[in-house]
Amino acid sequence: MKKYIVLFILGLASYAAFLNNFDNKSYDVRIINGFSNNSSLPLVVWCSSEDGGDIGGRALQERDDYSWSVKTGLWKTPLFICTIKWDGKRKKFDAFWVSRDRYRCGNYRQCFWLVKEDGFYFSNDEITWKRDFSWM
C-alpha cells in the first residue's frame, strides 16, 4: 500500500512540474530595427499567429521596435510568424514558437529580435546578442 502512495505522490509531482512548464505563461516579443543607416527606407514588419490571427505590421525607422505579448497554456502553444522586408530583401521567420522559446527567452520570458544588415539576432536581455540566421 505504501508503494502505491509513493507512486501516486510522485505522479502528482510530475504532473505539477508538467503544468508549471506550460500553464498560463506570458512572453514579451520585440522586434527592433538595428540597421545603422536606413533613415530613408523603413524596415517593414508584418506578423500573424499560426492559427490565422493577424497582429498587424509596422514600418520601423532606425531603433524603432514592434512588440506584443504572447499567452501560453497547457492546450495553447502559439507560433508567431513574421515577414520582414527591407530594400528588396524579404525574410519570413518564426518570431515566437513556444517549443523553442520557452527556455531561451529566460526567466523574465523576454524574446528580443534585432534585425541588422547582416542578419537576425536574438537576445533575452538586450545585452547579449547571438546571430540566429542571415537574410538568405
Side-chain angles (χ1 to χ4, degrees):
M1 181 66 161
K2 289 180 185 179
K3 176 178 156 183
Y4 294 112
I5 292 173
V6 169
L7 288 174
F8 179 74
I9 291 171
L10 287 174
L12 282 178
S14 296
Y15 183 67
F18 173 79
L19 288 179
N20 186 45
N21 281 329
F22 292 101
D23 202 26
N24 298 321
K25 304 267 177 144
S26 180
Y27 294 82
D28 294 319
V29 181
R30 186 171 168 212
I31 299 173
I32 305 160
N33 180 343
F35 279 80
S36 57
N37 187 15
N38 71 326
S39 57
S40 64
L41 290 173
L43 183 71
V44 178
V45 179
W46 195 273
C47 302
S48 60
S49 65
E50 181 184 42
D51 64 7
D54 187 2
I55 60 172
R58 302 277 187 285
L60 306 178
Q61 296 298 329
E62 287 179 47
R63 307 313 292 172
D64 281 349
D65 68 89
Y66 178 40
S67 60
W68 68 95
S69 292
V70 177
K71 300 265 190 216
T72 65
L74 182 58
W75 306 113
K76 189 174 180 182
T77 57
L79 168 63
F80 284 84
I81 301 163
C82 295
T83 300
I84 309 283
K85 295 185 215 173
W86 182 79
D87 193 27
K89 295 181 182 181
R90 180 184 179 119
K91 182 76 172 180
K92 191 176 198 176
F93 76 105
D94 298 340
F96 180 82
W97 182 28
V98 71
S99 298
R100 176 193 67 196
D101 295 328
R102 73 171 162 234
Y103 297 114
R104 85 173 186 162
C105 290
N107 292 334
Y108 297 108
R109 295 188 287 278
Q110 296 178 325
C111 314
F112 302 114
W113 290 99
L114 181 65
V115 182
K116 299 173 75 173
E117 292 89 344
D118 67 340
F120 292 66
Y121 292 75
F122 181 83
S123 175
N124 61 21
D125 61 7
E126 287 190 282
I127 296 169
T128 307
W129 295 94
K130 178 184 173 263
R131 190 168 103 162
D132 242 31
F133 49 88
S134 69
W135 281 91
M136 297 298 168

